[in-house]
Amino acid sequence: MFLAGAFMPVSRVYVEGDPQRKLAILLAAPGQWRAQQMLLAAGTAALPVGVVLLARHWDTGSGRGGLEPFAGQRLAQGAALAWVAGSGLFLGHLKERYRDPEAFALGKMPGGPFQGYMGLSLAGMAALGGGLLARARAHANSGALPPDPRWPAWLNVGGAGVFAAVLVATGDLPPLLVYVVELSTGAALLRQARRRGDLGQPA
């Protein structure tokens, strides 16, 4: 949903530097702008829900007892908390964009909510990546389960570091980048769950 909104034609407003040209783009397509904000909001709300569900069912289907199966779960819970908090900030920001596109175009909206959202999103990425690495190590040591792919973990950890550097250096970062990483992570985790038989599929 977020990616669908981000690739709408009206998104050219985000790379336009002149405020008056920004405003002209939005005034020429007000319906598209409102639809985009709704799609972005839906994607913003969906991501933390997915991470919360992942944290709750962290090792479903492992069939092993003890504490080791839950390696990394606390980090996943921290990631979920960060994304829930960040999404609240960004949803408020999107609501203001929807209500007052002129203020957005002319740079009159406070930047704090967006910066807070991006910071919390990157913290969530780093925590999720750390949790996935811990779980992969626990599964590898058990020898009882198919090995977890480690690239999603490193994609989150590495992506968080690179994106944070860009955010600090430029003061801006397209949220689209975060959602591409998490879409890739979700696809990899669903594939792994099917291999393990967690989703009712043959192991």
Side-chain angles (χ1 to χ4, degrees), residues 3 7 13 22 36-39 63 69 75 78 107 111 124 146 157 170 175-176 195 200:
L3 298 180
F7 282 107
V13 73
K22 280 179 178 283
Q36 184 190 64
Q37 303 318 299
M38 292 172 64
L39 282 170
L75 284 170
V157 172
T170 67
L176 169 70
R195 286 182 62 200

Side-chain angles (χ1 to χ4, degrees), residues 96-137:
E96 291 305 312
R97 282 191 195 177
Y98 183 96
R99 290 173 53 185
D100 193 353
E102 181 177 356
F104 172 78
L106 300 180
K108 295 181 179 180
M109 286 186 176
F114 177 78
Q115 294 291 329
Y117 159 70
M118 290 309 307
L120 287 165
S121 293
L122 297 183
M125 281 181 64
L128 180 59
L132 292 172
L133 278 176
R135 188 173 73 171
R137 291 192 192 101

Side-chain angles (χ1 to χ4, degrees), residues 60-196:
T60 300
S62 69
R64 296 181 293 126
L67 295 177
E68 188 182 14
F70 301 101
Q73 187 176 36
R74 295 294 185 191
L75 284 170
Q77 291 169 343
L81 181 62
W83 260 308
V84 168
S87 68
L89 291 174
F90 196 46
L91 287 171
H93 182 69
L94 291 172
K95 180 180 178 182
E96 291 305 312
R97 282 191 195 177
Y98 183 96
R99 290 173 53 185
D100 193 353
E102 181 177 356
F104 172 78
L106 300 180
K108 295 181 179 180
M109 286 186 176
F114 177 78
Q115 294 291 329
Y117 159 70
M118 290 309 307
L120 287 165
S121 293
L122 297 183
M125 281 181 64
L128 180 59
L132 292 172
L133 278 176
R135 188 173 73 171
R137 291 192 192 101
H139 287 178
N141 292 337
S142 77
L145 294 169
D148 288 9
R150 298 198 180 196
W151 68 261
W154 289 116
L155 182 63
N156 276 270
V157 172
V162 171
F163 296 165
V166 172
L167 184 62
V168 170
T170 67
D172 193 19
L173 182 75
L176 169 70
L177 298 176
V178 173
Y179 285 84
V180 168
V181 168
E182 298 318 319
L183 182 63
S184 302
T185 300
L189 294 178
L190 285 172
R191 183 173 183 273
Q192 177 67 9
R194 289 192 178 97
R195 286 182 62 200
R196 286 167 44 185

Side-chain angles (χ1 to χ4, degrees), residues 29-55:
Q32 190 180 142
W33 176 251
R34 290 192 293 269
Q36 184 190 64
Q37 303 318 299
M38 292 172 64
L39 282 170
L40 297 182
T44 298
L47 177 57
V49 170
V51 181
V52 166
L53 291 173
L54 174 64

